[in-house]
Amino acid sequence: MAKSDSFFIRASITTNGTDFTQNSIDLGSFVNLGVSSSTIMRIRNLSASYFDSNLPAGPILDAADAKISWQLTTQSQTALVLPTDKSLVSSGSLIVKTGMTPSQDYDVAPQDWTNGYLIGVDQLYIGADLNTGLDSGDVTIAVVMECQLEKATQTSSVALALSQQ
């Protein structure tokens, strides 16, 4: 199998107050790790957006400092993980400082992989957390991933083994 045309996977997660929450993204119809031949997925690009009960058109409101964080991992988690965790594919955060415009200062979240990010698992996990309840309610983080399927080769299998748990 040569590389497929790009396709897009969309997922979202809504925060649950200040408790970490997580949803799974089923990749079973894309990734197939078989004995004689395997198909793996390569994430070429990932974009994320944040919105609350005001939806994309309104601002995220809070009277105090707040941090909204999300992550995409290859293993189920019970909390946010550091970039040193090999299961972490991507992460981001939005900082809301009192009296200032929200920024991504603490996690710029550029998903600029030179050759994409190889995925060889049946599920990804998107998780989110807030450090405080927001005046405008829980926040939804939505991601769009541009993906391709490809036949696993010895080279891609070694790359996958080195980059993930």
Side-chain angles (χ1 to χ4, degrees):
M1 163 193 246
K3 290 182 182 176
S4 70
D5 287 336
S6 290
F7 61 96
F8 297 89
I9 296 175
R10 292 165 174 80
S12 65
I13 184 81
T14 300
T15 58
N16 182 15
T18 58
D19 295 327
F20 177 80
T21 187
Q22 177 177 270
N23 290 339
S24 62
I25 304 167
D26 184 12
L27 302 178
S29 59
F30 305 113
V31 176
N32 178 16
L33 299 177
V35 176
S36 61
S37 77
S38 298
T39 303
I40 56 177
M41 187 176 81
R42 188 179 296 269
I43 301 174
R44 290 286 181 187
N45 192 11
L46 185 144
S47 63
S49 61
Y50 303 78
F51 55 95
D52 62 6
S53 59
N54 294 312
L55 300 176
I60 295 174
L61 303 173
D62 197 49
D65 294 351
K67 182 176 181 181
I68 306 156
S69 302
W70 66 273
Q71 66 187 17
L72 184 70
T73 61
T74 58
Q75 295 178 352
S76 181
Q77 303 295 335
T78 57
L80 295 170
V81 298
L82 295 173
T84 53
D85 188 306
K86 285 189 170 189
S87 73
L88 184 70
V89 175
S90 183
S91 66
S93 65
L94 187 66
I95 309 302
V96 180
K97 299 290 277 177
T98 306
M100 300 181 72
T101 303
S103 72
Q104 297 183 52
D105 289 345
Y106 299 139
D107 189 340
V108 179
Q111 311 314 321
D112 296 331
W113 303 298
T114 302
N115 198 25
Y117 198 102
L118 289 174
I119 302 294
V121 294
D122 289 340
Q123 292 200 2
L124 289 175
Y125 299 89
I126 184 170
D129 205 356
L130 283 172
N131 72 328
T132 186
L134 299 174
D135 294 345
S136 53
D138 284 326
V139 174
T140 297
I141 299 102
V143 297
V144 178
M145 297 175 275
E146 178 185 10
C147 305
Q148 285 182 310
L149 299 179
E150 59 187 76
K151 183 175 182 171
T153 63
Q154 183 177 2
T155 303
S156 63
S157 297
V158 169
L160 189 60
L162 290 173
S163 65
Q164 291 181 23
Q165 288 181 345

